[in-house]
Amino acid sequence: MVNATMPHLTLHQTPSPNISTSVYDTLQKYLTLISTDQLIQVLLQCDRNNQVVDKWLIAIVFEYFQRSKLHHHQFTREKFFIALYLAIEFEEDEDRKVKDVLLDYMLHHDNIWTSKRQFIKKKD
């Protein structure tokens, strides 16, 4: 679960008065995706030092989902990894190594993409 790998990625039972109910519900659905998707969980558990994924990048992915106007039923593993890759590409100042590690992880642990070329085409 997310709580085991990133303990602060939880929501309070009642939303803050500063957040709308729809955003709160959407955030709950997003955190459910992260906490229930086995591949995302394996990534988070393997990345204990947050060298590939940290809370900032997870927040950026949520923001990308929001800006894309995705409905919570459209939150998928594939879209999560594409958005995460884009977040790393645009937000991180590090070299390509982190993106390559993430891409290799996705290609070796999931059958959504069969090649780097296919992923890059989908990302674009």
Side-chain angles (χ1 to χ4, degrees):
M1 293 189 66
V2 170
N3 295 349
T5 56
M6 293 186 163
H8 300 293
L9 289 179
T10 57
L11 289 176
H12 300 287
Q13 292 296 76
T14 51
S16 163
N18 299 333
I19 187 170
S20 73
T21 304
S22 64
V23 171
Y24 181 83
D25 291 342
T26 303
L27 184 55
Q28 277 189 315
K29 300 294 184 188
Y30 175 70
L31 292 176
T32 298
L33 168 70
I34 294 171
S35 64
T36 59
D37 186 278
Q38 189 174 14
L39 188 62
I40 295 171
Q41 279 300 297
V42 170
L43 173 65
L44 294 175
Q45 290 169 3
C46 291
D47 187 30
R48 293 215 183 265
N49 295 327
N50 299 331
Q51 293 180 347
V52 177
V53 183
D54 57 17
K55 290 182 220 173
W56 172 253
L57 289 172
I58 288 179
I60 294 291
V61 170
F62 177 72
E63 183 63 25
Y64 287 173
F65 279 17
Q66 289 287 96
R67 288 183 182 182
S68 299
K69 299 188 184 328
L70 294 178
H71 296 284
H72 62 81
H73 64 276
Q74 295 173 304
F75 293 0
T76 63
R77 170 192 296 172
E78 179 181 19
K79 289 178 181 148
F80 174 85
F81 280 112
I82 289 170
L84 180 60
Y85 188 89
L86 290 172
I88 291 170
E89 189 169 62
F90 292 116
E91 303 294 333
E92 296 295 310
D93 294 331
E94 299 175 21
D95 59 348
R96 288 189 52 93
K97 187 176 182 180
V98 173
K99 292 190 309 184
D100 290 341
V101 167
L102 179 62
L103 190 54
D104 287 342
Y105 173 81
M106 291 183 302
L107 291 173
H108 288 98
H109 290 89
D110 200 355
N111 59 2
I112 293 174
W113 303 287
T114 56
S115 69
K116 287 184 181 183
R117 177 176 289 167
Q118 184 183 18
F119 173 78
I120 298 299
K121 183 178 179 182
K122 190 81 162 176
K123 173 189 73 97
D124 293 338

